[in-house]
């Protein structure tokens, strides 16, 4: 990835984070993706604590994060949120475009019962 793409994504990420924040009643669902994995966290920004996390590295037999794996991670984070009594979240795509793995993770979380 070139320097311009990285700086553009970080600039977009800062802009988004200035506009949204999670609370204990409606935490922030933050997404991070790399070339090999995808991660999701539920974060309460008022206390600065991570409430739940899920990643493709924790799934059995997964080496790369493709769209079906991202959907599984979304379902896993959704199930963890519902166990904690959380049904609504604020979606933070962290400056990534809403397509591919990020979109698949969001759809998996919705299928699990989370509302954005």
């Amino acid at each position: 990835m070139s320097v311009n793409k990285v700086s553009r994504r970080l600039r977009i990420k800062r802009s988004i984070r200035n506009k949204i924040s999670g609370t204990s009643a409606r935490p922030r669902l933050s997404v991070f993706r790399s070339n090999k994995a995808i991660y999701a966290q539920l974060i309460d920004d008022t206390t600065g604590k991570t409430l739940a996390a899920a990643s493709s590295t924790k799934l059995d037999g997964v080496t790369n994060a493709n769209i079906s794996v991202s959907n599984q991670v979304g379902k896993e984070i959704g199930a963890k949120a519902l166990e904690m009594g959380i049904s609504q979240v604020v979606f933070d795509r962290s400056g990534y475009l809403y397509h591919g793995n990020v979109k698949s993770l969001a759809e998996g979380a919705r299928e699990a019962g989370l509302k954005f």
Side-chain angles (χ1 to χ4, degrees), residues 45-58:
D45 289 319
T46 56
T47 61
K49 293 187 179 181
T50 300
L51 305 175
S55 72
S56 60
T57 58
K58 303 291 183 190

Side-chain angles (χ1 to χ4, degrees), residues 14-114:
R14 279 193 306 268
S15 173
I16 291 170
R17 282 290 294 123
N18 286 335
K19 296 175 187 172
I20 64 170
S21 67
T23 62
S24 57
R26 190 173 180 185
R28 178 170 53 100
L29 174 58
S30 178
V31 176
F32 174 76
R33 68 176 176 84
S34 67
N35 289 336
K36 294 186 177 182
I38 190 158
Y39 306 87
Q41 291 182 330
L42 288 175
I43 304 167
D44 179 3
D45 289 319
T46 56
T47 61
K49 293 187 179 181
T50 300
L51 305 175
S55 72
S56 60
T57 58
K58 303 291 183 190
L59 299 176
D60 294 330
V62 174
T63 57
N64 283 336
N66 56 25
I67 290 177
S68 63
V69 170
S70 297
N71 195 294
Q72 289 176 353
V73 172
K75 288 179 182 177
E76 183 179 338
I77 195 73
K80 287 182 180 182
L82 291 177
E83 285 176 10
M84 297 173 65
I86 298 169
S87 62
Q88 289 190 336
V89 295
V90 178
F91 189 66
D92 178 11
R93 56 187 175 84
S94 299
Y96 299 111
L97 295 177
Y98 187 78
H99 74 94
N101 286 340
V102 176
K103 181 178 178 182
S104 179
L105 187 140
E107 289 172 352
R110 281 191 186 107
E111 289 173 14
L114 284 182

